[in-house]
Amino acid sequence: MARLFGTDGVRGLANAELTPELALSLAASAARVLAAHDRSHRPVAVVGRDPRASGEMLEAAVVAGLASAGADVLRLGVLPTPAVAYLVGALDADLGVMISASHNPMPDNGIKLFAAGGHKLPDGIEDEIEAGLPAPAIRPTGSGVGRVSDVPDAVERYVEHLLAATPNPLTGLKIVVDCANGASSAAAPEVYRRAGAEVIAIHADPDGVNINEHCGSNHPELLCEAVVKHGADLGIAHDGDADRCVAVDAAGELIDGDQIMAVLALALADAGELTDDTLVATVMSNLGLHLAMRAHGINVVTTAVGDRYVLEKIRASGLALGGEQSGHILLPAYATTGDGLLTALRLMSRMAATGKPLVELAGVMNRLPQVLVNVRVADKAAVAGSSAVRDAVGAVEAELGERGRVLLRPSGTEQLVRVMVEAPAQDTAQAAADRLAGVVSAAS
């Protein structure tokens, strides 16, 4: 049977795959597992959600599950995922629950769990929770049932935390922020204004069904137009739960997560805060990032795709910065998970400190054309063992030399092989990717 937990919690179509019954059982099991690991006190859990309509239903189920297992619940309301992670530690809770499907379409939803301190749960604890899903015959009664209360200043606590992590006032900056009609719709405009910027907010009116709908970090086209229309210095786009951030320069050009990491890496290096002069990125990060960092004496360590792998490397090596091209950036000195609002504040602080426009700061990195082709195959293993594929990859790598890169990556969930090629010119990358895709298809 497939594992219930994916790389980022439990996700599915709300009320079909992710049902209230599953949410209740999952929350109750999590509370029981926590109690079994530490019997010194009654468990305390914080629960937050994004504004999608199904979140109301799932929040009720999660709260009921936690209380039925004897945990006290602090209900946070609608706020970003990184706010929940922060408040687990700030409120001295034992567990955090975020109900969100992040950048996924509105009909989906998810449940993400955080351990004490706001860190992601280890795989072993997730496995214990999954194994304990069947409800026990005996539940606590009377005073043993958990109590539920609200935290009315949850957003304010998070905003204050972000302001404390912002090294420079943003006075003089005019920004447009796209909140994706999601969890950052209240917090993002508020914190950017209080940090000193002039703020124009778009897609900041969630109605339960419009989250991520043609807006946010996955669809920044309208943000690009708005930045130019309003004569803003930059634009910031978040996804539905605001753990991501991409930017737009004053000319309406997109600045992705790789470019943001390049800017932040140099800022940390200048401040003497870039541990071991090392940045952590995934194998999908653009070769331009590697070349730019090398030119500035910064080492880039790569991991598998997924923020959890970036975070594992950061924590294992005590590093200061990592992230993904998607805009999921990790700054462990200030947050235990990716925080799009924190990322944006640090990026704008660099602009304010240097007096340089975003296009100039991001220009430290030349983003090479990148082509990704998904090839449906009959057998991923056959492709991996194919000498014809290896020879074809080697030939393209020899042609590109240090000016390009090839990556073949099997999908983790489908019979697909992803062929990625970077090259100095778009047509060169496209031709090489198409050629390799043909060899991959024939080898399966």
Side-chain angles (χ1 to χ4, degrees):
M1 188 177 75
R3 189 172 186 265
L4 179 64
F5 284 90
T7 57
D8 205 19
V10 178
R11 286 193 190 177
L13 182 60
N15 217 26
E17 299 160 342
L18 183 54
T19 63
E21 292 84 357
L22 175 57
L24 188 149
S25 297
L26 189 67
S29 182
R32 291 194 298 270
V33 168
L34 284 174
H37 278 265
D38 183 0
R39 300 185 182 279
S40 65
H41 64 284
R42 183 164 165 149
V44 176
V46 298
V47 178
R49 63 181 178 89
D50 73 24
R52 65 189 80 208
S54 62
E56 300 162 0
M57 167 188 74
L58 293 173
E59 178 192 55
V62 165
V63 170
L66 292 166
S68 74
D72 290 334
V73 182
L74 301 175
R75 197 163 41 196
L76 305 176
V78 174
L79 74 180
T81 289
V84 174
Y86 165 70
L87 289 167
V88 173
L91 296 172
D92 199 25
D94 304 285
L95 174 70
V97 183
M98 178 63 184
I99 302 164
S100 174
S102 188
H103 57 281
N104 283 24
M106 185 279 288
D108 291 346
N109 218 322
I111 296 175
K112 185 185 298 187
L113 303 179
F114 293 100
H119 297 285
K120 290 190 174 184
L121 288 182
D123 289 349
I125 298 296
E126 289 181 344
D127 290 340
E128 285 187 54
I129 292 170
E130 185 170 346
L133 284 179
I138 300 175
R139 293 191 178 99
T141 58
S143 61
V145 174
R147 304 298 300 274
V148 181
S149 58
D150 292 321
V151 182
D153 63 344
V155 172
E156 175 62 22
R157 285 172 177 258
Y158 174 56
V159 166
E160 290 288 349
H161 156 68
L162 291 174
L163 291 171
T166 305
N168 304 100
L170 309 183
T171 307
L173 287 180
K174 182 178 182 179
I175 75 166
V176 180
V177 57
D178 183 341
C179 300
N181 290 314
S184 69
S185 295
E190 173 73 7
V191 74
Y192 300 151
R193 288 190 184 103
R194 285 171 58 178
E198 178 185 349
V199 180
I200 299 161
I202 63 174
H203 305 126
D205 297 298
D207 62 9
V209 298
N210 60 1
I211 186 170
N212 296 323
E213 187 176 28
H214 307 301
C215 59
S217 59
N218 276 18
H219 300 281
E221 299 83 12
L222 293 178
L223 174 63
C224 295
E225 294 175 7
V227 168
V228 174
K229 173 185 174 183
H230 292 285
D233 296 294
L234 78 158
I236 295 293
H238 298 302
D239 60 336
D241 71 336
D243 62 356
R244 297 186 185 189
C245 164
V246 297
V248 173
D249 68 21
E253 295 297 319
L254 185 66
I255 305 296
D256 69 11
D258 284 342
Q259 294 166 291
I260 292 172
M261 281 193 286
V263 174
L264 297 186
L266 294 183
L268 288 173
D270 286 351
E273 297 173 1
L274 188 65
T275 311
D276 294 338
D277 289 325
T278 297
L279 165 69
V280 183
T282 77
V283 292
M284 291 301 291
S285 278
N286 194 278
L287 177 60
L289 175 63
H290 294 255
L291 298 176
M293 294 298 94
R294 186 186 306 164
H296 287 83
I298 294 172
N299 181 43
V300 179
V301 175
T302 57
T303 72
V305 175
D307 69 287
R308 73 180 301 148
Y309 302 113
V310 175
L311 184 56
E312 284 172 5
K313 182 60 181 177
I314 285 175
R315 294 182 66 183
S317 303
L319 300 176
L321 176 65
E324 298 184 279
Q325 193 178 63
S326 63
H328 201 129
I329 312 297
L330 294 152
L331 290 153
Y334 308 99
T336 58
T337 189
D339 189 329
L341 280 69
L342 172 65
T343 299
L345 288 164
R346 301 291 295 195
L347 180 67
M348 290 187 284
S349 290
R350 181 65 168 173
M351 293 174 65
T354 61
K356 295 179 179 179
L358 182 56
V359 65
E360 183 177 345
L361 292 175
V364 69
M365 173 187 156
N366 180 27
R367 186 169 53 190
L368 271 68
Q370 188 179 76
V371 173
L372 179 65
V373 179
N374 291 323
V375 185
R376 189 160 295 280
V377 297
D379 185 351
K380 291 183 290 187
V383 172
S386 168
S387 59
V389 171
R390 286 197 300 272
D391 290 346
V393 169
V396 172
E397 288 177 333
E399 292 170 13
L400 295 174
E402 292 190 354
R403 301 176 303 117
R405 187 166 66 113
V406 177
L407 177 67
L408 264 65
R409 187 170 66 90
S411 167
T413 58
E414 301 176 83
Q415 285 293 340
L416 288 176
V417 172
R418 308 190 195 283
V419 178
M420 189 271 282
V421 177
E422 292 170 339
Q426 181 74 27
D427 57 351
T428 303
Q430 188 69 60
D434 290 342
R435 192 166 92 218
L436 289 174
V439 177
V440 167
S441 182
S444 68

